[in-house]
Amino acid sequence: MSKYHFNKIEAKWQKIWRERKTFKAHNPSSPPSEGLGEAYYVLDMFPYPSGAGLHVGHPLGYIASDIYARYKRHQGFNVLHPQGYDSFGLPAEQYAIQTGQHPAKTTEENIARYREQLDKIGFSFDWSREVRTSNPEYYKWTKTVDFHPAF
Amino acid sequence: MNAVCDEGIENFSASEWKDFSEVKKQEILLKYRLTYLAETEVNWCPQLGTVLANDEIVNGVSERGGYPVVRKKMKQWSMRITAYAQRLLDGLDKIDWPQPLKDSQTNWIGRSKGATVNFPILTFPKGKGTKPGYMTGGNNSHLLLERAKEMRNKPTEAESILWEYLKSKKLGHKFRRQHLIDDFIVDFVCLSKKIVIEVDGAIHDNQQEQDENRTSILNELGYTVLRFKNEEVIGSLNNVLDKISENLDKNEISPSGARGIQVFTTRPDTIFGVSFMVLAPEHDLVSKITTAEQKEAVENYIEATAKRSERERMADVKTITGVFTGAYAEHPFTGEAIPIWIGDYVLAGYGTGAVMSVPCGDQRDYDFAKHFNLPIPNIFKDADISEEAYSDKENTIITNSDFLNGLNYSEATEKIIAAMEEKGVGKGKINYRLRDAVFSRQRYWGEPFPIYYKDGMPQIIPTECLPLRLPEVEKYLPTEEGEPPLGRATKWHWDENKNEVVSVPEGKNPPSGVWGLELNTMPGWAGSSWYFFRYMEPGISEKDSKRDKVFASAEALNYWKNVDLYIGGSEHATGHLLYSRFWVKFMHDRGLVPVDEPFKKLINQGMILGESAFVYRLQGIEPLYGRKITSGMPRTRASFSSKVFISKSIKNEIYVQGKNSNHFELLLKKINEEVKSLNGHEHYENLEIIPLHTDVSFVNNSNELDIEAFKNWRTEYKDAIFILEDGNVYEPNSSPSGRSGGAFKVSREVEKMSKSKYNVVNPDDICEQYGADTLRMYEMFLGPLEQAKPWNTAGITGVHGFLKKLWKLYHSPFEGGKGDVSQSHEANEFYVSEEAASKDSLKTLHKTIKKVQEDIENFSFNTSVSSFMIAVNELSAQKCNSREVLEPLAILISPYAPHIAEELWQKLGHSESISAAPFPKYEEKYLVESTKEYPISFNGKMRFTLQLPLDLSKEEIESAVMAHEKTAQYLEGRTPKKVIIVPGKIVNIVG
């Protein structure tokens, strides 16, 4: 009766991880602040959400970093393993020139597709900390650096 | 008090600063900002309508799209990464990055130690040997010299009075009168201090404009111009002399005086080998020094150069081009006249845009000298320069070089720099190849600059008014006037009073207090250079998030510090990975973050390549005689793309055997039948085989094509004909696929995975068919993380089979084993035994723990997968179903295959996620061998071996050996004299 039903098992655990926020990283002031392990930060270079979606070459690095992040959790570290999107860029603009569609719209669609694909692979990302560079609430802080009142 | 200013910025006092206009103040301030506005030579890509960074250009064309790139001057925002050049180099020692990546950053920054040297420019008469440095006239000197002489003889009254006080170094410095500078005759000049004194008569009141023009040219040449009226000199001579003295004290100028060419050289020790100079064609001096005779050639050359990109010019070492300017420079030590050329191998943006050419020591200079037949003096002792330049500085002994003779590279370098500094002709300097990074892009889809222009000067939008959102535009193209796409926005002005973005109707002037916003956007790296800090602050949906107040809170930044492990592609070596380091250093300097490097450890994963599939289509080739050959036309033959596709082995056969192939005639006939049905005649006499990409999803693991899927792919393939492996023609109804010999096979080739090659494998399909855990393990199994490797879906079944076997280990009680519960449990139901595991199983477990832990810590994930396979095989063979082993095994495997591990963990009775379970502890004792196979010798001769526990005492070993039946057999009744026992090693029976 109990064969290896990977589809069922994988969907089940991806749902549980999401609901229980299993991979949420904790800052010292946020609960549970006691018994937090040593901080360890594992990061992937965030992807540009292209219209073509992911192919099997893209997740190679993400799988490696995910193995390492999970290993560090087993060792008791408080692991920060986030993911986001480098979502400004030329391809979206060229697509906009060709089709007239607003790059924000196609970018949004591409991100949704990326997220769906990434979720299927079972990464232990803390998605609550997601960053999108095209989000005004993110990029307004760039000014802190590039137009820092240095004089 | 004077402000201390950098090179290229005038000195000013505090009161002068107060008097500067707002515009002037801003201009000076911009020179100190991290992000500054400047006229920059940029890589302009007309097709993309944007500026590209150096790392976005490959082989002279844009990385995206492969469009041509030209050099162009534009007002752009730039970032002062050069200010961090040295620290970016030093920081590399502190971080754990792959050496090749560090090397490429080191090369990109390109530090070199050398000297800047000033070569004064000589003027007419050209080429006649040496020429004194005081001759500062321009190219028309020969016309003006007579006139100057004349004026010297007929000074005005005021001039005569002043000359009395200036001549013979009366003010401590040598002055000349009626002296030629460029095309001007100045009244008096002190060349060593670069001070010009003009005494003006009444006529000058009417020619203010000309005078200003003349002054500005002289200023450009580095002279300070002091202008006095005749009556001032005659009436208040003391005031005039005081003013002159004051300026003489102030001006600290190199004694070489006259205008010159600044060069930076990494080999100042070779200065006596200079036989010519080369300027970049864009160098500012070119137009000023070029003689009338050379003007046309020089201008043509400049025009030709503008069409080549910098990369192209750097990379192309074969084409040697250049033009002589007609002008000469003076060697700062020998005083010899050195011809000045222009050549595109010298880049305007690198160093000073000029080189002192030492053909005996630099290959490009050598090639240039050979090509244009310029002298190649040899200044290296015993070096052969008949074929090529001698650039081995480690084995250099300088000769033919005056006071440097006999010195080696470092001695000579030190000595010549000291000599230059003493003589005031140059000084030691560190130079970097790195340039400031252009920060403006003429694009829509990027971060808008929080900047508006008030009276042409950039102003920053107050922080509390941010974010500035991108405006709507009707098209995402540059405007007809060539402005960036934001130039199309109707609502893109800043109202200073309302502090908001407002519209200004087209054609109307903005009302007061309303200014145009910046039309460029930032490059992608604006956002990617600091994003890793943003993650440190909890997401906006979290209760404790401060993301709306700060980019990240101090608490978060101090807790997470920097990225411990960063994984990504190596293609970002001199882009993202350099810019991020630069930004973090700046942020650190400004007290924004506690760290000064972003990524402690970095790993570049290798690329996964695709396995493309090719089908072969036949083409008929027209016979030569079948075509009318017009004279001058190339004798090409027309070909006809048939609908016939041939399977791989038929293709191979025809390739090898040509017309002798069994299938040749048949296929040719097929093509001609096809043609005949189209136009009524057949005339093809030869075949050509064209490979075409087919989508890999139509091909199974045995490289067989799903013919129906292929036919449905494109309408042009709808009625294609397929010649199968066995030579038969495919018929849809007979469905030959799978029939022995009757399949249609494709060829495979490894290429970059891309949509255009139809070799993309979608991870969703793999997850669907085999599961995410299989995908994860298989990706790791493909090979070392950092290497490029081809994807081969066929191999995945091995890994998938392994996971099934792992599952079974927890589900199938073994018959006859410790957990033989076949009577009470149904097969295939989850089962683990609570009994202790066997020593062998514990050994398997612990050697796996050890191996996997080492592998993960060394990022050798591929070898871990093999270890898991071995472990599961061994445990299956050992019929192990003990919790003592299976529980830690699940944890070991969970980083790789987290879903199956969680499921098993739950079945093992845990309610918490396996991800929080402590990693199993490796214990060496389980790996220690517990028995030893002792060689048993009789009088030194080994006769048999005996397996004994290692913890036996000598006495116990002896009694065990003596009790053995083989011992009695070899002793043949004798009583041994002595039994030698070395525990753990040997047993020798003597006697």
Side-chain angles (χ1 to χ4, degrees):
Chain A
M1 71 174 258
S2 189
K3 267 183 71 188
Y4 173 39
H5 292 295
F6 52 86
N7 296 122
K8 247 173 73 186
I9 293 170
E10 290 177 359
K12 167 183 159 187
W13 286 100
Q14 285 162 15
K15 186 162 170 267
I16 293 176
W17 292 333
R18 191 164 49 241
E19 287 170 357
R20 294 190 193 162
K21 298 181 178 170
T22 306
F23 305 114
K24 192 168 147 38
H26 298 281
N27 278 28
S29 67
S30 51
S33 55
E34 269 167 52
L36 268 192
E38 208 184 312
Y40 198 90
Y41 187 178
V42 182
L43 185 64
D44 298 298
M45 290 186 191
F46 59 169
Y48 174 79
S50 85
L54 291 174
H55 64 59
V56 289
H58 295 121
L60 182 75
Y62 307 156
I63 295 170
S65 66
D66 198 59
I67 290 172
Y68 203 77
R70 286 173 179 272
Y71 169 69
K72 282 288 179 185
R73 287 192 196 98
H74 285 308
Q75 287 197 317
F77 286 85
N78 178 27
V79 174
L80 174 57
H81 187 40
Q83 186 57 290
Y85 305 96
D86 189 10
S87 47
F88 270 135
L90 203 47
E93 180 148 338
Q94 284 183 318
Y95 190 73
I97 290 169
Q98 287 159 22
T99 64
Q101 281 201 63
H102 198 288
K105 185 172 172 282
T106 49
T107 301
E108 189 76 27
E109 288 163 5
N110 293 346
I111 285 177
R113 167 108 182 85
Y114 260 64
R115 177 65 191 272
E116 200 184 316
Q117 287 191 292
L118 290 171
D119 280 351
K120 278 188 188 161
I121 306 174
F123 293 119
S124 62
F125 293 132
D126 176 357
W127 282 107
S128 71
R129 296 179 187 242
E130 188 200 87
V131 164
R132 299 179 185 187
T133 56
S134 61
N135 181 347
E137 297 305 326
Y138 169 76
Y139 70 62
K140 76 176 196 181
W141 297 105
T142 301
K143 189 203 135 178
T144 318
V145 182
D146 57 9
F147 291 101
H148 192 278
F151 197 79
Chain B
M1 194 173 76
N2 276 331
V4 180
C5 293
D6 290 348
E7 273 175 65
I9 295 179
E10 59 181 304
N11 291 301
F12 54 82
S13 66
S15 64
E16 280 171 315
W17 171 256
K18 257 190 251 159
D19 294 340
F20 286 159
S21 68
E22 196 51 38
V23 170
K24 173 131 192 174
K25 279 182 187 169
Q26 287 302 325
E27 274 172 1
I28 293 172
L29 286 180
L30 270 180
K31 297 188 179 182
Y32 288 90
R33 294 198 191 280
L34 177 75
T35 314
Y36 62 95
L37 204 52
E39 190 88 3
T40 327
E41 193 143 291
V42 294
N43 305 303
W44 172 251
C45 179
Q47 271 85 348
L48 293 175
T50 191
V51 164
L52 298 174
N54 281 334
D55 64 287
E56 292 171 312
I57 302 164
V58 175
N59 301 324
V61 296
S62 64
E63 190 185 19
R64 274 199 74 81
Y67 301 117
V69 176
V70 295
R71 307 285 300 159
K72 185 179 164 184
K73 276 202 169 175
M74 281 177 83
K75 197 138 200 174
Q76 300 272 306
W77 288 101
S78 284
M79 274 212 159
R80 209 177 301 279
I81 190 171
T82 52
Y84 284 82
Q86 188 58 47
R87 285 172 60 196
L88 288 168
L89 279 179
D90 295 343
L92 289 173
D93 294 336
K94 293 193 297 186
I95 48 182
D96 180 9
W97 286 22
Q99 196 55 41
L101 212 152
K102 286 187 181 184
D103 290 347
S104 59
Q105 289 206 347
T106 303
N107 293 336
W108 190 258
I109 296 167
R111 181 188 202 265
S112 49
K113 198 175 172 200
T116 51
V117 192
N118 189 61
F119 285 71
I121 293 166
L122 296 176
T123 48
F124 274 80
K126 61 178 181 186
K128 285 188 188 154
T130 61
K131 193 176 158 305
Y134 60 77
M135 294 188 82
T136 50
N139 301 323
N140 300 312
S141 305
H142 52 304
L143 305 172
L144 293 171
L145 279 171
E146 279 308 304
R147 168 95 179 111
K149 214 184 268 175
E150 206 176 287
M151 288 167 74
R152 238 170 267 154
N153 293 332
K154 292 183 199 161
T156 64
E157 191 196 350
E159 284 169 2
S160 319
I161 293 172
L162 193 54
W163 181 236
E164 281 305 309
Y165 291 88
L166 295 178
K167 71 182 184 190
S168 319
K169 292 197 180 177
K170 281 187 185 148
L171 292 181
H173 297 275
K174 186 173 170 61
F175 271 88
R176 295 170 181 279
R177 59 180 168 147
Q178 303 303 338
H179 190 80
L180 261 179
I181 298 176
D182 203 67
D183 285 346
F184 304 117
I185 303 169
V186 301
D187 290 339
F188 303 99
V189 61
C190 172
L191 289 175
S192 64
K193 288 288 185 175
K194 292 200 112 178
I195 289 176
V196 166
I197 300 166
E198 303 269 48
V199 181
D200 303 336
I203 187 171
H204 287 265
D205 294 344
N206 304 322
Q207 55 176 48
Q208 234 167 342
E209 202 176 308
Q210 279 111 299
D211 284 348
E212 271 173 26
N213 191 26
R214 173 176 166 136
T215 300
S216 80
I217 293 174
L218 289 168
N219 286 344
E220 221 172 88
L221 295 173
Y223 294 91
T224 305
V225 180
L226 303 175
R227 226 169 247 289
F228 301 104
K229 292 207 157 65
N230 278 346
E231 48 272 30
E232 277 181 277
V233 174
I234 298 165
S236 45
L237 182 65
N238 280 344
N239 283 350
V240 169
L241 292 176
D242 279 352
K243 203 151 184 193
I244 296 170
S245 295
E246 201 178 292
N247 276 284
L248 285 171
D249 292 344
K250 210 164 84 180
N251 269 22
E252 277 303 331
I253 293 294
S254 81
S256 68
R259 66 179 171 180
I261 299 173
Q262 282 267 326
V263 302
F264 171 77
T265 173
T266 56
R267 293 292 305 272
D269 59 312
T270 64
I271 195 158
F272 289 96
V274 174
S275 61
F276 58 98
M277 301 190 75
V278 184
L279 303 182
E282 301 89 347
H283 198 289
D284 286 342
L285 274 177
V286 174
S287 61
K288 290 173 191 150
I289 61 167
T290 302
T291 59
E293 296 92 319
Q294 292 300 101
K295 196 162 180 257
E296 198 184 335
V298 165
E299 279 171 3
N300 289 342
Y301 186 75
I302 291 171
E303 205 183 309
T305 308
K307 294 186 184 134
R308 303 184 78 198
S309 77
E310 261 193 30
R311 288 248 163 160
E312 214 178 311
R313 285 163 60 177
M314 270 157 80
D316 182 6
V317 288
K318 287 194 196 111
T319 329
I320 296 157
T321 61
V323 176
F324 179 44
T325 62
Y328 291 81
E330 180 190 328
H331 193 288
F333 289 96
T334 66
E336 271 173 58
I338 303 162
I340 305 168
W341 288 63
I342 58 171
D344 71 357
Y345 77 100
V346 180
L347 302 177
Y350 180 45
T352 61
V355 299
M356 56 171 230
S357 301
V358 182
C360 65
D362 179 279
Q363 194 57 40
R364 296 198 90 163
D365 294 346
Y366 185 92
D367 294 341
F368 197 88
K370 280 260 161 173
H371 190 82
F372 293 108
N373 209 14
L374 296 161
I376 307 181
N378 192 355
I379 53 150
F380 302 118
K381 198 168 177 232
D382 302 329
D384 175 14
I385 56 159
S386 59
E387 294 297 323
E388 57 180 9
Y390 181 79
S391 55
D392 179 2
K393 64 183 175 190
E394 298 316 317
N395 295 308
T396 286
I397 298 293
I398 303 287
T399 187
N400 295 328
S401 297
D402 197 347
F403 55 90
L404 299 182
N405 287 350
L407 301 180
N408 67 24
Y409 158 71
S410 54
E411 294 161 346
T413 302
E414 203 174 306
K415 193 159 184 183
I416 191 72
I417 289 177
M420 284 170 179
E421 286 175 354
E422 197 193 315
K423 215 169 175 233
V425 296
K427 56 184 177 185
K429 200 189 167 191
I430 308 268
N431 199 47
Y432 300 92
R433 201 175 76 103
L434 184 71
R435 325 265 175 92
D436 280 345
V438 175
F439 197 57
S440 296
R441 294 289 184 276
Q442 292 66 49
R443 293 177 189 158
Y444 176 79
W445 193 232
E447 284 189 38
F449 282 86
I451 296 285
Y452 61 96
Y453 290 88
K454 184 178 181 176
D455 293 324
M457 287 311 294
Q459 310 289 329
I460 304 173
I461 288 175
T463 303
E464 60 274 16
C465 304
L466 297 177
L468 184 63
R469 283 162 205 278
L470 281 169
E472 294 300 317
V473 291
E474 37 140 13
K475 265 200 274 185
Y476 302 95
L477 289 168
T479 65
E480 280 66 33
E481 296 78 38
E483 281 179 340
L486 291 187
R488 292 182 180 273
T490 49
K491 194 180 172 187
W492 200 237
H493 277 76
W494 186 255
D495 188 323
E496 270 188 332
N497 305 314
K498 289 196 227 157
N499 265 336
E500 61 180 32
V501 179
V502 293
S503 325
V504 171
E506 211 180 322
K508 288 247 171 90
N509 281 332
S512 94
V514 174
W515 308 97
L517 281 154
E518 169 71 57
L519 301 181
N520 288 296
T521 55
M522 297 182 204
W525 52 269
S528 63
S529 291
W530 70 275
Y531 76 107
F532 34 88
F533 290 124
R534 185 67 165 171
Y535 286 133
M536 294 179 183
E537 187 59 34
I540 199 80
S541 57
E542 303 298 310
K543 266 189 251 134
D544 53 338
S545 176
K546 297 184 192 71
R547 278 194 179 191
D548 55 341
K549 294 183 190 71
V550 283
F551 72 90
S553 63
E555 177 211 82
L557 292 163
N558 286 321
Y559 178 68
W560 295 108
K561 296 193 173 71
N562 36 19
V563 176
D564 293 289
L565 173 67
Y566 197 36
I567 297 189
S570 60
E571 67 274 19
H572 304 290
T574 55
H576 164 58
L577 291 174
L578 192 61
Y579 295 133
S580 302
R581 296 186 57 224
F582 157 50
W583 276 47
V584 170
K585 288 191 187 301
F586 179 79
M587 291 172 91
H588 177 74
D589 288 354
R590 303 314 310 165
L592 298 169
V593 296
V595 297
D596 71 347
E597 282 290 342
F599 316 118
K600 280 206 263 190
K601 181 172 177 67
L602 180 107
I603 292 181
N604 295 129
Q605 85 273 13
M607 191 184 281
I608 288 188
L609 302 164
E611 237 192 325
S612 304
F614 292 92
V615 292
Y616 294 91
R617 185 169 67 188
L618 288 181
Q619 295 198 348
I621 306 290
E622 230 179 16
L624 272 176
Y625 55 79
R627 275 169 65 82
K628 248 196 218 166
I629 293 160
T630 324
S631 77
M633 286 250 303
R635 289 159 63 95
T636 51
R637 304 197 208 181
S639 62
F640 167 80
S641 288
S642 80
K643 288 178 178 150
V644 179
F645 288 82
I646 54 174
S647 192
K648 186 182 166 187
S649 59
I650 312 280
K651 176 218 78 171
N652 290 345
E653 183 194 306
I654 292 176
Y655 263 161
V656 175
Q657 298 169 24
K659 291 189 178 182
N660 297 326
S661 149
N662 290 334
H663 294 93
F664 187 89
E665 283 306 320
L666 175 92
L667 293 172
L668 193 61
K669 204 172 139 215
K670 278 236 165 285
I671 287 175
N672 279 319
E673 273 169 21
E674 202 180 323
V675 179
K676 201 173 174 186
S677 72
L678 286 173
N679 55 23
H681 61 89
E682 50 186 70
H683 64 281
Y684 289 98
E685 61 156 18
N686 210 341
L687 297 176
E688 203 170 38
I689 304 170
I690 306 295
L692 296 168
H693 275 109
T694 176
D695 197 305
V696 290
S697 66
F698 306 150
V699 182
N700 69 13
N701 289 342
S702 311
N703 293 333
E704 292 165 352
L705 183 74
D706 179 341
I707 293 173
E708 288 305 318
F710 180 76
K711 284 167 78 172
N712 288 328
W713 189 30
R714 301 252 167 86
T715 45
E716 56 182 299
Y717 300 152
K718 195 91 209 131
D719 44 0
I721 298 159
F722 297 86
I723 313 295
L724 305 173
E725 278 295 275
D726 60 4
N728 291 324
V729 177
Y730 166 76
E731 284 161 44
N733 300 332
S734 68
S735 66
S737 173
R739 198 181 62 193
S740 164
F744 187 92
K745 290 209 170 189
V746 301
S747 294
R748 293 281 200 168
E749 209 172 289
V750 172
E751 294 181 296
K752 196 176 160 176
M753 201 173 269
S754 101
K755 227 175 156 183
S756 64
K757 297 184 165 72
Y758 303 102
N759 60 1
V760 169
V761 180
N762 189 329
D764 299 2
D765 297 341
I766 305 290
C767 287
E768 177 64 34
Q769 216 181 329
Y770 301 100
D773 285 339
T774 300
L775 174 74
R776 293 169 63 108
M777 288 207 112
Y778 186 57
E779 293 232 358
M780 293 299 104
F781 187 63
L782 281 175
L785 180 61
E786 298 181 71
Q787 268 176 28
K789 54 233 160 195
W791 178 267
N792 170 12
T793 303
I796 206 165
T797 50
V799 170
H800 188 61
F802 154 73
L803 285 174
K804 284 201 231 170
K805 204 161 183 181
L806 174 76
W807 182 258
K808 214 174 141 198
L809 195 59
Y810 293 76
H811 287 82
S812 173
F814 298 103
E815 242 177 281
K818 273 189 179 164
D820 183 1
V821 282
S822 47
Q823 306 306 310
S824 56
H825 281 263
E826 277 185 53
N828 291 336
E829 202 155 311
F830 177 79
Y831 175 78
V832 290
S833 139
E834 302 301 328
E835 280 175 56
S838 74
K839 281 200 168 164
D840 282 348
S841 297
L842 285 168
K843 188 176 165 188
T844 297
L845 173 71
H846 283 271
K847 86 174 177 201
T848 310
I849 297 172
K850 183 170 191 266
K851 181 75 171 67
V852 169
Q853 183 152 18
E854 281 170 5
D855 285 347
I856 295 180
E857 279 166 9
N858 294 318
F859 302 94
S860 174
F861 303 117
N862 56 321
T863 51
S864 285
V865 179
S866 318
S867 304
F868 286 132
M869 291 176 169
I870 293 167
V872 169
N873 282 342
E874 285 180 6
L875 294 173
S876 302
Q878 292 154 13
K879 303 188 174 178
C880 171
N881 50 18
S882 162
R883 176 185 291 274
E884 193 185 357
V885 168
L886 296 188
E887 214 168 72
L889 181 70
I891 302 171
L892 272 189
I893 241 167
S894 76
Y896 292 79
H899 308 86
I900 192 173
E902 287 274 26
E903 185 72 13
L904 295 172
W905 190 247
Q906 194 182 50
K907 289 185 171 204
L908 283 159
H910 300 276
S911 55
E912 293 290 311
S913 165
I914 193 171
S915 63
F919 202 75
K921 225 174 136 51
Y922 161 66
E923 285 183 67
E924 185 144 21
K925 67 177 184 199
Y926 295 111
L927 260 64
V928 175
E929 298 289 336
S930 57
T931 59
K932 163 78 188 168
E933 204 170 343
Y934 281 95
I936 313 294
S937 303
F938 293 82
N939 296 320
K941 232 179 195 163
M942 208 272 278
R943 295 297 183 183
F944 66 96
T945 62
L946 185 60
Q947 191 94 17
L948 293 171
L950 268 169
D951 52 3
L952 293 189
S953 67
K954 269 190 181 187
E955 294 67 34
E956 286 168 321
I957 295 172
E958 184 171 339
S959 53
V961 171
M962 294 315 289
H964 200 271
E965 55 180 40
K966 277 193 178 165
T967 306
Q969 188 187 322
Y970 283 106
L971 278 174
E972 292 166 341
R974 284 172 284 134
T975 309
K977 284 181 193 148
K978 206 175 164 190
V979 179
I980 302 164
I981 293 167
V982 184
K985 296 253 161 70
I986 52 150
V987 177
N988 189 14
I989 300 165
V990 183

